[in-house]
């Protein structure tokens, strides 16, 4: 049961707690509340429009009943994941402090208003970088803090953790895209779980020029990866609307509720920015495989692999070789 429920059951059913027990409980609750308040995945650019809810709660909403959660993400260069993108959340588990030097001068004085010195940071031990106990616990379990964190405050490599519910979706409104290239990724703990994404219109209206710019849908088992042009429409004079929206869902779900991670990033430059070159090959410069589970090393630190291919000779084989050698020497002696 939750911590508060467990404490209440103990106090009601057992003997009166001592002062030491009461102080311990208060300190524990205080630490939990402080941690939850300090290490939230959201920021001023990640907005929760509809907190995760049940199916019945979603059906009771006045609009978008298909969505059990709705977010608005404002992609920013501060949350770059590979040094050539704008991201949605801090990439916990990774050191991106040098990525400001990778960025071009395009960002100096641009509409984001971000200094190159503020792009990237060392997120290796996040979400609780100043908590040695949390870091040690993760290492003791041969894990990393970004994955070992028991709450939902960690955002490993900039991914958000959510629950998929059968027949329902996690809906995302993506901003600051304009006409950039967009990378969409999702991962499920079960490699055979089919996860999908699809374009989504919150108001249910049809997209203009649907024949030239159709709704896109993609599904994959375990890991979903899509790199695509922005579907935002050109309003003329090289300006674009900024209303890209997608939803994540599962097909043929075996479980009513399943956990998954998702992330959306976009190219650091629009496809065409005045005299800047077309950024059409941006997808080729993405690793395409930095899912949360890649933070785990395949072997523990200081691991010495076994000598799988080390040659060994049995005693029987040694005896046979010795006899053949003696026979050869005897034959040579006879010939001489």
């Amino acid at each position: 049961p939750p911590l508060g429920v467990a404490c209440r059951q103990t106090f009601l059913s057992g003997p009166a707690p001592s002062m030491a027990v009461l102080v311990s409980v208060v300190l524990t609750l205080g630490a939990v509340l402080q941690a939850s308040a300090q290490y939230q995945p959201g920021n001023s650019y990640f907005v929760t429009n509809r907190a995760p809810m049940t199916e019945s709660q979603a059906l009771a909403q006045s609009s978008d009943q298909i969505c059990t959660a709705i977010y608005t993400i404002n992609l920013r260069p501060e949350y770059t994941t590979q040094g050539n993108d704008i991201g949605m959340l801090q990439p916990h588990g990774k050191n991106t402090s040098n990525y400001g030097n990778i960025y071009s001068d395009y960002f100096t004085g641009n509409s984001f208003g971000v200094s190159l010195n503020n792009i990237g940071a060392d997120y290796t031990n996040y979400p609780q970088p100043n908590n040695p106990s949390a870091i040690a616990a993760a290492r003791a379990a041969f894990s990393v803090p970004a994955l070992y964190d028991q709450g939902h405050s960690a955002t490993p490599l900039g991914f958000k953790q959510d629950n998929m519910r059968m027949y329902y979706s996690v809906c995302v409104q993506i901003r600051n895209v304009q006409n950039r290239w967009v990378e969409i990724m999702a991962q499920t703990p079960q490699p055979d779980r089919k996860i999908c994404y699809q374009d989504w219109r919150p108001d249910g209206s049809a997209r203009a020029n649907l024949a030239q710019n159709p709704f896109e849908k993609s599904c994959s088992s375990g890991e979903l990866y899509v790199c695509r042009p922005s579907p935002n429409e050109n309003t003329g004079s090289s300006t674009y609307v900024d209303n890209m929206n997608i939803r994540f869902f599962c097909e043929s779900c075996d479980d009513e509720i399943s956990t998954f991670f998702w992330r959306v990033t976009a190219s650091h430059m629009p496809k065409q920015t005045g005299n800047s070159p077309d950024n059409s090959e941006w997808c080729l410069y993405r690793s395409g495989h930095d899912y949360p589970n890649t933070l785990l090393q395949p072997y523990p630190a200081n691991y010495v692999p076994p000598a799988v291919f080390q040659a060994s000779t049995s005693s029987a084989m040694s005896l046979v070789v010795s006899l053949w050698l003696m026979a050869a020497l005897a034959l040579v002696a006879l010939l001489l």
Side-chain angles (χ1 to χ4, degrees):
L3 180 60
V5 175
C7 294
R8 181 175 182 273
Q9 291 175 346
T10 301
F11 293 161
L12 290 179
S13 61
S18 65
M19 181 59 67
V21 173
L22 289 173
V23 171
S24 176
V25 170
V26 170
L27 292 176
T28 302
L29 287 172
V32 171
L33 292 175
Q34 181 181 8
S36 62
Q38 185 175 1
Y39 303 107
Q40 289 298 321
N43 49 58
S44 58
Y45 308 113
F46 189 105
V47 181
T48 301
N49 306 105
R50 177 179 296 176
M53 59 180 54
T54 64
E55 300 92 325
S56 57
Q57 290 173 328
L59 287 174
Q61 303 301 310
S62 59
S63 62
D64 303 316
Q65 290 89 351
I66 196 174
C67 304
T68 54
I70 301 178
Y71 305 99
T72 297
I73 59 175
N74 298 274
L75 302 181
R76 301 284 300 183
E78 299 99 307
Y79 306 127
T80 176
T81 62
Q82 297 181 26
N84 64 346
D85 61 303
I86 52 178
M88 67 180 201
L89 289 169
Q90 296 175 347
H92 293 173
K94 187 173 184 178
N95 185 355
T96 62
S97 57
N98 192 44
Y99 283 4
N101 298 326
I102 299 176
Y103 264 84
S104 67
D105 291 337
Y106 166 78
F107 277 106
T108 302
N110 71 83
S111 59
F112 287 104
V114 179
S115 169
L116 295 178
N117 295 329
N118 294 329
I119 295 178
D122 187 357
Y123 298 110
T124 303
N125 292 322
Y126 274 63
Q128 302 186 67
N130 300 319
N131 188 339
S133 298
I135 298 172
R139 292 176 179 173
F142 300 105
S143 184
V144 294
L147 295 177
Y148 188 75
D149 181 82
Q150 297 299 312
H152 297 291
S153 59
T155 55
L157 296 180
F159 280 77
K160 173 75 168 64
Q161 182 179 354
D162 260 301
N163 289 327
M164 286 188 301
R165 298 177 181 270
M166 191 181 300
Y167 310 121
Y168 291 84
S169 304
V170 172
C171 303
V172 185
Q173 303 177 95
I174 313 168
R175 301 297 177 258
N176 292 339
V177 173
Q178 286 94 27
N179 66 327
R180 290 176 165 85
W181 290 85
V182 182
E183 180 185 71
I184 301 168
M185 302 177 68
Q187 184 181 50
T188 63
Q190 302 85 0
D192 58 344
R193 179 62 49 81
K194 191 173 183 180
I195 184 171
C196 305
Y197 104 96
Q198 186 175 17
D199 288 337
W200 164 63
R201 297 285 284 199
D203 55 4
S205 61
R207 179 185 297 164
N209 301 319
L210 189 59
Q212 291 79 22
N213 193 10
F215 272 38
E216 185 170 309
K217 174 184 175 181
S218 181
C219 298
S220 184
S221 295
E223 295 177 349
L224 172 70
Y225 182 85
V226 174
C227 194
R228 58 173 288 191
S230 163
N232 290 329
E233 300 153 13
N234 190 337
T235 58
S237 302
S238 299
T239 59
Y240 291 79
V241 296
D242 196 26
N243 60 355
M244 181 177 182
N245 308 288
I246 63 174
R247 62 185 182 95
F248 293 98
F249 59 98
C250 62
E251 286 191 346
S252 303
C253 299
D254 296 329
D255 301 323
E256 183 179 353
I257 303 176
S258 58
T259 302
F260 80 111
F261 291 91
W262 62 271
R263 187 183 77 185
V264 179
T265 60
S267 57
H268 61 307
M269 293 190 299
K271 289 193 291 183
Q272 291 182 344
T273 56
N275 295 326
S276 299
D278 185 9
N279 201 26
S280 59
E281 295 184 355
W282 179 77
C283 295
L284 300 178
Y285 293 95
R286 300 291 290 172
S287 72
H289 198 264
D290 56 335
Y291 294 97
N293 65 354
T294 59
L295 289 173
L296 295 177
Q297 298 298 320
Y299 300 103
N302 302 322
Y303 174 75
V304 179
V308 179
F309 300 105
Q310 181 178 357
S312 62
T313 305
S314 65
S315 57
M317 182 60 69
S318 300
L319 178 60
V320 171
V321 172
S322 300
L323 292 175
W324 275 102
L325 181 59
M326 292 175 61
L329 292 176
L331 179 61
V332 171
L334 291 175
L335 293 177
L336 296 177

